[in-house]
Amino acid sequence: MASATTKQLSTKLATIAGTWTKDPFRPNLQLQNFLKSLANHPKLTPQAVEATRALRDNVMQKKYPLSQKMLRPASSPLYYERLVTGFERSAKGVGRPWWKVFFGIW
């Protein structure tokens, strides 16, 4: 019975790992590969599988959404928007011109 449960947990974790998005910034180090190897661990627990699923589905972000005050701090209201835009452009291979970096212009 225990081995059947372990096999089911392994299958669930392997499925979750298969749907995990790839990290374009670290092509040689993927969380997906770690999760697939973790699926074969003999002491895999239901809590570990549930925690992995919750991370993938952003359960905590949905349960505790951030306020606009937190997302747009008064000192730099566009900080997080620029950060996300920078990551998206960087993933596409588009960088800022040297003069914008030099002068601190976004």
Side-chain angles (χ1 to χ4, degrees):
M1 176 90 182
S3 64
T5 305
T6 306
K7 186 168 176 90
Q8 290 172 347
L9 290 174
S10 291
T11 305
K12 285 182 183 179
L13 190 58
T15 303
I16 292 169
T19 61
W20 206 276
T21 58
K22 294 190 183 286
D23 184 359
F25 299 105
R26 296 185 204 151
N28 60 336
L29 181 65
Q30 296 291 325
L31 186 58
Q32 195 177 52
N33 296 339
F34 169 72
L35 293 173
K36 285 180 183 177
S37 65
L38 187 64
N40 299 324
H41 196 279
K43 294 185 180 181
L44 185 62
T45 63
Q47 293 86 2
V49 176
E50 180 59 26
T52 307
R53 187 202 57 77
L55 278 173
R56 182 199 61 193
D57 297 340
N58 291 325
V59 170
M60 289 296 125
Q61 184 179 14
K62 293 173 186 172
K63 188 174 181 180
Y64 303 105
L66 296 174
S67 67
Q68 283 300 314
K69 188 175 181 180
M70 187 73 109
L71 292 172
R72 297 175 71 82
S75 61
S76 181
L78 299 177
Y79 177 77
Y80 293 110
E81 291 175 23
R82 288 178 181 156
L83 187 67
V84 170
T85 303
F87 271 113
E88 289 171 350
R89 286 183 180 168
S90 181
K92 294 177 185 175
V94 177
R96 289 185 357 207
W98 68 269
W99 60 272
K100 282 190 174 185
V101 174
F102 183 78
F103 290 112
I105 299 172
W106 292 92

